[in-house]
Amino acid sequence: MTVIGVISDTHGLVRPEAKEVLKECDAIVHAGDIGKPEVLDELRLIASLTAIRGNIDKWAHDMPDVEVLETEGRFLYILHNVKELDLDPRSAGFDVVISGHSHRPDITEAGGVLYVNPGSAGPRRFTLPITLAVLTVSTERIEARIVNLEA
């Protein structure tokens, strides 16, 4: 079993509450809009990191726009904006699609694929919550939950 912390839209801010949740994880995925390279440095101190570039990450020229992560025989597809998904994840063999961008936390299953948006863990946007997600991945199942960092 692998526990993956999923964070997005930090916009240059790594909250202490996020670090507390993430230190219980085996790995971290950052789904873009990182804000500044120091965010990645902080997250790498906690666990292994897979990160992609978001629309505000103009400084991150060498980072990918999409990434694939395999764990426990399961395949996760990571992109910043799910509206830019240009493949059929199920046909392509993906179990999970991870995205950010909207700042709205959401976990949805469609067509045998789990779609996870952790929301935003960065500065507050409008009245949206400050959140991240935690995935628990095993060969038998994938479970996802949203963690409210304000609770």
Side-chain angles (χ1 to χ4, degrees):
M1 181 173 66
T2 303
V3 179
I4 302 171
V6 181
I7 192 167
S8 187
D9 297 278
T10 50
H11 292 266
L13 175 64
V14 181
R15 295 171 179 271
E17 301 89 348
K19 289 181 185 180
E20 283 300 309
V21 174
L22 295 172
K23 73 180 186 181
E24 302 300 321
C25 299
D26 301 306
I28 300 169
V29 167
H30 196 304
D33 279 2
I34 300 156
K36 58 185 181 180
E38 292 81 7
V39 168
L40 300 176
D41 295 338
E42 286 187 64
L43 295 176
R44 282 187 189 104
L45 292 174
I46 300 169
S48 67
L49 176 66
T50 301
I52 53 123
R53 177 177 54 224
N55 57 289
I56 71 156
D57 299 321
K58 307 301 184 210
W59 54 270
H61 305 290
D62 58 343
M63 290 185 67
D65 292 320
V66 299
E67 189 67 81
V68 173
L69 181 63
E70 187 273 330
T71 186
E72 304 288 337
R74 304 299 191 120
F75 291 88
L76 292 66
Y77 188 81
I78 307 155
L79 76 165
H80 184 58
N81 185 348
V82 74
K83 291 181 180 179
E84 296 175 0
L85 184 64
D86 62 356
L87 55 80
D88 173 8
R90 188 81 223 134
S91 295
F94 293 107
D95 301 287
V96 180
V97 172
I98 295 172
S99 64
H101 188 63
S102 72
H103 292 228
R104 297 180 195 289
D106 186 53
I107 299 170
T108 305
E109 189 277 328
V113 176
L114 188 64
Y115 291 81
V116 178
N117 185 324
S120 172
R124 181 178 302 284
R125 183 174 182 201
F126 311 114
T127 59
L128 295 170
I130 308 298
T131 58
L132 56 75
V134 175
L135 285 177
T136 304
V137 181
S138 71
T139 55
E140 294 84 31
R141 68 165 39 121
I142 302 171
E143 296 177 353
R145 65 184 171 94
I146 300 295
V147 178
N148 189 327
L149 299 177
E150 302 170 292

